[in-house]
């Protein structure tokens, strides 16, 4: 186990964490501002990936594909908000869970109907493919580095948007007291649509970026959705900062655990047993992390009251 | 509640009459469908104790469904290979006897419910939903990576397990087993809802502070409800695995959690026979729409969406009027 391997895996974990952050940011924003639990967030991730794959197939341009993913997911998000989600803000969480679960069924089967059951592929563009040499002589895929960079830039942009712009002020005010800002003349329902579409666009971007590493297929959003839930439970629901910290924690724990736990067990057990026990335990590691965080802080690291 | 009671009796009779009729007409497939309805309704009855009575929105009941399924798979596969599960500290052999399998399924899922409940009930609201979901997903990934019992491919059992005095390979006799268990569970949950414990639990759902003020601990009430709820769903899991003679990680997936919740909601939350109506409608839709279109779940999604947005009382609400509750 060399130093270079560790660094490589840390970078992988960072890349995974940054992707999770793009997913979790939208979820936590929507919950923080509108009080809505949205299971269909993973479907927006899928919409982004499919839009990117379709546009890349037509035009061959990766940049256009990314723009398409943002636009398609934002449009799908806005459409769903206006037709369905809007009616759910005053309902209890059970209704929200059911209605958004129904949306998943509609999105998944609708996508299967449009694109078929076979996975699509989205190629990494030539200018982002191949390895780069980092300090200490590490060879690392350029595309993954680009994902980390894009994720960090988008994350910084989001913090700037929330902290410094007029719409950010309105979002934060909406979190604190929705009646009051409505009384001050902010069109609250338009604000909600914008926030929902923003979260959707981030999920769609994440879907497109990951779609170039993995295959683009129906149901791809659901494992990520549940990880994003773990992230915001750890970080504290409603907190963007919590989502960032939680995402990096989960990304690093999952990646490093998957690589190093089997090796750790190999020091003590037979190779076959070590591999299977290590893999089983590694797959549970982030949930154990979540349970541990909840034991100490039931409302997450940066959460207020639930 | 007179009309609801009449409606419930009619539903139960229908569930009994359809397979008997199919038996007379020699349509074993319909008997299997009815058995599936009975078993899935049982899973819903389990969830309904947590959800309807306790107000605990658990999106992780597939965990117990799957634990029950794997209890059956593990015991039966060891029995068919003539290997003991373990021989230390005591000899524990596999089994193909349903009563023993059920006992194992119930104990295993009760322990699971105790651990998951004790951790998840520290939180409430959205956190509770997400955490139950996450624990369920944890078991799902564990089952996938646990290669000794089939991993991702699942585990097949060659012959259905045995029930003393019955031939479970005969569809109508296996239906009778599932139907009997369902009736017992319905009777039990009706008693539970009317018991002192059930009333206290219901009160904790409606007003936590008042319950605390009279000296009851909501956390304990909810934990007990969760530990009662889980094993009923677990027992359904064991039966479901026996029906298919197959258990796989799919039983633990969060889609299964969602489906069990749909059974409860389609029928009407907190209504005793809600899960039965919900499961029956779900299986009927799957069978009828599935024949028309490969994409039948779009229609299921639309129906569910319409239900949540416009018909809050569930399907039972339409014929017997609203009200209801536990």
């Amino acid at each position: 186990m060399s130093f270079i391997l560790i660094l490589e895996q840390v970078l992988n974990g960072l890349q995974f964490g940054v992707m999770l952050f793009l997913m979790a940011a939208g979820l936590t924003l929507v919950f923080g501002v509108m009080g809505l639990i949205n299971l269909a967030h993973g479907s927006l991730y899928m919409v982004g990936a499919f839009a990117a794959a379709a546009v890349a197939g037509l035009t061959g341009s990766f940049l256009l594909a990314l723009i398409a993913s943002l636009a398609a997911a934002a449009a799908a998000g806005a459409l769903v908000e206006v037709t369905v989600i809007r009616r759910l803000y005053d309902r209890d969480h059970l209704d929200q869970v059911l209605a958004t679960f129904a949306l998943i069924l509609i999105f998944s089967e609708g996508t299967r109907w449009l694109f078929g059951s076979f996975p699509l592929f989205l190629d990494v563009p030539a200018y982002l493919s191949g390895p780069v040499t980092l300090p200490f002589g590490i060879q690392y895929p350029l595309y993954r580095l680009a994902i980390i960079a894009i994720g960090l830039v988008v994350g910084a942009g989001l913090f700037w948007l929330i902290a410094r712009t007029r719409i950010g002020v309105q979002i934060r005010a909406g979190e604190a007291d929705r009646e009051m800002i409505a009384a001050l003349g902010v069109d609250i329902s338009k604000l909600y649509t914008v926030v929902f579409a923003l979260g959707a666009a981030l999920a769609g971007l994440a879907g497109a970026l990951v779609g170039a590493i993995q295959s683009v297929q129906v149901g791809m959003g659901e494992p990520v959705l549940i990880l994003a839930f773990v992230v915001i439970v750890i970080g504290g629901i409603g907190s963007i900062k919590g989502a960032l910290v939680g995402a990096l924690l989960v990304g690093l724990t999952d990646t490093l655990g998957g690589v190093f736990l089997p090796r750790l067990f190999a020091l003590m057990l037979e190779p076959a047993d070590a591999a299977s026990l290590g893999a089983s335990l590694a797959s549970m590691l982030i949930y154990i992390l979540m349970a541990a965080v909840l034991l100490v802080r039931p409302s997450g690291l940066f959460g207020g009251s639930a | 509640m007179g009309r609801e009671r009449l409606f419930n009796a009619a539903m139960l009779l229908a569930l009994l009459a359809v397979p008997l009729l199919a038996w007379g007409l020699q349509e074993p497939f319909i008997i299997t469908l009815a058995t599936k309805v009975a078993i899935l309704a049982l899973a819903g009855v389990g969830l309904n104790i947590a959800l309807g009575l306790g107000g605990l929105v658990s999106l992780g009941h597939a965990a117990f469904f799957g634990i029950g399924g794997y209890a059956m798979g593990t015991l039966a596969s060891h029995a068919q290979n003539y290997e003991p599960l373990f021989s230390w500290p005591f000899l524990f052999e596999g089994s193909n006897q349903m009563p023993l399998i059920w006992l194992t399924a119930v104990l295993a899922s009760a322990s699971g419910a105790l651990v998951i409940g004790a951790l998840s009930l520290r939180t409430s609201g959205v956190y509770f939903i997400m955490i139950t979901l996450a624990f369920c997903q944890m078991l799902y990934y564990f089952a996938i990576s646990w290669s000794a019992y089939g991993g991702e491919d699942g585990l097949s059992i060659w012959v259905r397990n045995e029930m003393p005095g019955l031939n479970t390979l005969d569809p109508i006799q296996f239906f009778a087993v599932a139907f009997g268990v369902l009736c017992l569970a319905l009777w039990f949950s009706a008693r539970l809802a009317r018991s002192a414990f059930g009333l206290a639990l219901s009160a904790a759902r409606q007003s936590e502070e008042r319950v605390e003020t009279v000296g009851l601990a909501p956390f304990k009430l909810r934990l007990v409800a969760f530990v009662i709820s889980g094993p009923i769903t677990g027992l359904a899991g064991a039966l479901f695995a026996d029906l298919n003679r197959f258990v796989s990680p799919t039983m633990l997936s969060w889609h299964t959690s969602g489906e069990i919740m749909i059974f409860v909601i389609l029928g009407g939350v907190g209504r005793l026979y809600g899960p039965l109506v919900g499961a029956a409608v779900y299986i009927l839709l799957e069978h009828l729409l599935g024949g028309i279109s490969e994409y039948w779940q779009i229609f299921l999604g639309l129906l569910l969406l319409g239900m949540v947005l416009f018909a809050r009382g569930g399907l039972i609400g339409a014929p017997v009027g609203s009200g209801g509750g536990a």
Side-chain angles (χ1 to χ4, degrees):
Chain A
M1 193 188 321
S2 65
F3 176 64
I4 290 181
L5 176 71
I6 296 178
L7 264 186
E8 263 177 23
Q9 295 306 329
V10 167
L11 282 173
N12 282 341
L14 215 58
Q15 179 252 308
F16 187 34
V18 161
M19 280 304 91
L20 284 177
F21 170 67
L22 289 185
M23 273 297 275
L27 267 184
T28 205
L29 206 58
V30 165
F31 183 79
V33 179
M34 288 95 107
L36 176 95
I37 170 168
N38 178 22
L39 296 182
H41 204 63
S43 298
L44 299 164
Y45 174 91
M46 178 185 75
V47 166
F50 270 92
V55 167
L58 284 175
T59 65
S61 159
F62 188 70
L63 198 64
L64 280 181
L66 285 189
I67 293 171
S69 76
L70 281 167
L79 180 71
V80 165
E81 202 275 342
V82 171
T83 51
V84 178
I85 301 286
R86 183 171 282 194
R87 298 165 209 274
L88 296 171
Y89 296 140
D90 307 330
R91 301 292 188 85
D92 57 20
H93 294 316
L94 179 61
D95 283 358
Q96 299 175 347
V97 164
L98 286 164
T100 52
F101 189 81
L103 285 176
I104 293 181
L105 296 178
I106 296 170
F107 268 113
S108 293
E109 294 304 305
T111 311
R112 207 192 302 278
W113 181 62
L114 275 177
F115 289 91
S117 295
F118 295 103
L120 301 180
F121 292 96
L122 180 62
D123 291 323
V124 175
Y127 52 88
L128 285 178
S129 58
V132 279
T133 308
L134 297 179
F136 308 108
I138 302 170
Q139 297 276 317
Y140 197 74
L142 177 61
Y143 183 69
R144 285 176 184 263
L145 270 190
I147 290 187
I148 298 178
I150 294 174
L152 291 179
V153 167
V154 171
L158 192 62
F159 278 108
W160 174 78
L161 181 85
I162 303 269
R164 291 270 181 271
T165 64
R166 185 156 188 83
I167 188 143
V169 171
Q170 291 179 353
I171 291 174
R172 280 180 290 138
E175 257 179 303
D177 191 335
R178 87 167 75 163
E179 280 85 20
M180 185 55 86
I181 76 157
L184 289 174
V186 175
D187 184 347
I188 194 99
S189 69
K190 198 156 86 199
L191 178 70
Y192 284 180
T193 311
V194 169
V195 170
F196 198 85
L198 175 68
L202 293 178
L205 177 66
L209 288 173
V210 173
I213 308 180
Q214 298 162 355
S215 60
V216 175
Q217 56 188 329
V218 172
M220 66 187 286
E222 292 166 18
V224 190
L225 170 80
I226 293 167
L227 287 179
F229 277 153
V230 173
V231 165
I232 66 175
V233 165
I234 289 178
I237 304 178
S239 157
I240 302 260
K241 192 162 69 173
L244 181 63
V245 174
L248 294 179
L249 262 178
V250 168
L252 287 171
T253 310
D254 194 57
T255 308
L256 297 180
V259 174
F260 295 113
L261 264 187
R263 288 165 189 253
L264 191 69
F265 281 115
L267 302 176
M268 300 175 272
L269 298 167
E270 300 279 324
D273 290 346
S276 91
L277 188 65
S280 308
L281 199 62
S283 68
M284 298 166 73
L285 211 55
I286 53 167
Y287 303 100
I288 297 170
L289 174 74
M290 180 189 75
V293 168
L294 284 174
L295 278 179
V296 188
R297 295 187 65 111
S299 53
L301 294 176
F302 295 89
S305 56
Chain B
M1 298 290 269
R3 286 172 76 185
E4 180 162 354
R5 198 171 269 186
L6 206 65
F7 180 80
N8 291 346
M11 278 306 297
L12 208 57
L13 272 180
L15 181 62
L16 187 61
V18 167
L20 282 177
L21 205 64
W23 185 45
L25 298 171
Q26 306 210 323
E27 293 272 2
F29 180 66
I30 299 198
I31 304 180
T32 306
L33 279 186
T35 314
K36 207 169 163 185
V37 169
I39 293 172
L40 295 179
L42 179 66
V45 168
L47 177 62
N48 208 12
I49 291 177
L51 184 65
L53 211 53
L56 306 171
V57 184
S58 160
L59 199 48
H61 258 54
F64 312 122
F65 197 62
I67 289 175
Y70 270 94
M72 172 272 173
T74 315
L75 285 176
S77 77
H78 279 276
Q80 76 185 10
N81 298 332
Y82 300 102
E83 291 168 337
L85 262 81
F86 50 82
S87 49
W88 188 88
F90 53 90
L91 184 69
F92 188 39
E93 297 211 62
S95 170
N96 61 0
Q97 297 298 314
M98 281 188 192
L100 190 69
I101 288 174
W102 293 354
L103 182 69
T104 315
V106 163
L107 289 179
S109 37
S111 330
L114 184 64
V115 174
I116 294 179
L119 284 168
S120 318
L121 285 168
R122 291 170 54 83
T123 64
S124 62
V126 193
Y127 280 94
F128 182 79
I129 300 175
M130 292 186 188
I131 290 158
T132 47
L133 172 64
F135 278 120
C136 180
Q137 197 71 1
M138 173 175 100
L139 289 178
Y140 173 73
Y141 283 117
F142 179 75
I144 282 185
S145 56
W146 196 27
S147 52
Y149 294 100
E152 206 166 348
D153 300 330
L155 189 61
S156 282
I157 301 302
W158 301 323
V159 184
R160 187 169 289 154
N161 296 300
E162 292 166 7
M163 184 77 189
L166 288 175
N167 173 15
T168 52
L169 292 174
D170 181 8
I172 195 76
Q173 295 197 31
F174 186 62
F175 170 78
V177 170
F179 186 75
V181 175
L182 174 66
C183 287
L184 271 178
L186 283 170
W187 173 80
F188 172 76
S189 74
R191 285 294 302 270
L192 188 78
R194 272 180 280 129
S195 68
F197 169 77
L199 294 175
L201 181 64
S202 235
R205 182 191 75 223
Q206 290 160 26
S207 171
E208 185 165 343
E209 280 125 26
R210 289 193 193 178
V211 168
E212 273 179 345
T213 317
V214 295
L216 293 165
F219 177 82
K220 276 189 197 157
L221 289 170
R222 288 180 181 141
L223 187 58
V224 172
F226 205 71
V227 175
I228 295 174
S229 159
I232 298 178
T233 304
L235 185 56
L239 281 166
F240 191 73
D242 235 334
L243 174 70
N244 301 322
R245 279 171 287 137
F246 179 64
V247 50
S248 75
T250 315
M251 282 182 74
L252 288 160
S253 83
W254 79 291
H255 264 269
T256 310
S257 293
E259 279 166 14
I260 301 175
M261 195 179 261
I262 290 176
F263 305 150
V264 175
I265 304 304
L266 273 183
V269 198
R271 290 179 194 271
L272 185 57
Y273 281 63
L276 174 56
V277 177
V281 169
Y282 185 88
I283 296 295
L284 265 180
L285 280 180
E286 180 178 32
H287 185 60
L288 295 177
L289 292 177
I292 301 169
S293 162
E294 202 187 323
Y295 311 108
W296 73 278
Q297 291 208 330
I298 291 191
F299 301 105
L300 176 68
L302 289 172
L303 175 76
L304 186 62
L305 202 56
M307 192 104 205
V308 175
L309 294 181
F310 306 113
R312 314 245 1 239
L315 289 175
I316 299 185
V320 304
S322 55

